[in-house]
């Protein structure tokens, strides 16, 4: 269960919330900030109450943009910062010389401020191959959090 507090900062796009740790590992689609990085929670374990009276929540997570594994330990009564993560679908229109992309959404809006992704390794070549110089239609999923946008997946349309 997550309880939101009133602290929201639109300029940084995250919430400060109290995460209730139960160690039930029902962590799908849970995100949190660790060391200033937006992360997807993989595992939560809870240590028993210590001599100072607070149980500790041990979080294992991965950076949603680099895949780097990170860990954090927070007293169960404290809050943490949770990024607002959004995903959107775009059609690939062009790949420029410096791997700059031209994308278009369903409404016809264009986006030209993204490059081919470098993570996971090889996805840039896979997208380029699927697009085949514009011969095929390719849809990409753009993930956005804390002012960063990156392509995280693609699908070749039939």
């Amino acid at each position: 269960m997550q309880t939101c507090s009133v602290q929201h900062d639109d300029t940084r796009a995250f919430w400060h919330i109290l995460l209730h740790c139960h160690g039930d590992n029902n962590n799908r689609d849970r995100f949190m900030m660790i060391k200033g990085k937006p992360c997807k929670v993989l595992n939560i374990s809870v240590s028993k109450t210590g001599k100072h009276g607070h149980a500790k929540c041990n979080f294992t997570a991965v950076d949603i943009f680099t895949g780097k594994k990170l860990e954090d330990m927070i007293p169960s009564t404290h809050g943490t910062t949770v990024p607002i993560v959004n995903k959107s679908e775009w059609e690939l229109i062009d790949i420029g010389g410096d791997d700059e992309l031209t994308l278009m959404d369903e409404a016809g809006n264009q986006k030209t401020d993204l490059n081919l992704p470098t993570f996971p390794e090889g996805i840039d070549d896979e997208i380029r191959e699927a697009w085949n110089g514009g011969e095929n239609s390719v849809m990409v999923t753009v993930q956005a959090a804390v002012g960063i946008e990156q392509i995280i997946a693609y699908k070749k349309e039939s």
Side-chain angles (χ1 to χ4, degrees), residues 7-15 84:
Q7 302 169 349
H8 178 249
D9 184 343
D10 285 324
T11 61
R12 295 194 187 152
F14 57 76
W15 289 90
I84 297 171

Side-chain angles (χ1 to χ4, degrees), residues 116 120-132 138 154:
L116 282 170
E121 189 174 328
I123 191 172
D124 52 343
D125 293 330
E126 291 174 19
I127 292 172
R128 194 179 286 109
E129 184 178 313
W131 188 62
N132 192 22
V138 174
Y154 73 95

Side-chain angles (χ1 to χ4, degrees), residues 101-155:
L101 302 179
T102 301
L103 307 174
M104 186 169 60
D105 67 8
E106 286 183 357
N109 301 312
Q110 287 196 357
K111 176 182 250 338
T112 58
D113 58 350
L114 289 177
N115 290 351
L116 282 170
T118 57
F119 172 81
E121 189 174 328
I123 191 172
D124 52 343
D125 293 330
E126 291 174 19
I127 292 172
R128 194 179 286 109
E129 184 178 313
W131 188 62
N132 192 22
E135 293 295 318
N136 299 316
S137 177
V138 174
M139 298 297 293
V140 296
T141 303
V142 176
Q143 182 168 256
V146 297
I148 301 169
E149 289 185 310
Q150 180 176 305
I151 293 171
I152 59 164
Y154 73 95
K155 181 172 65 172

Side-chain angles (χ1 to χ4, degrees), residues 43-61:
N43 186 39
I44 302 173
S45 61
V46 182
S47 66
K48 296 186 181 210
T49 304
K51 65 181 178 178
H52 298 292
H54 295 289
K56 301 259 193 256
C57 297
N58 301 298
F59 293 91
T60 303

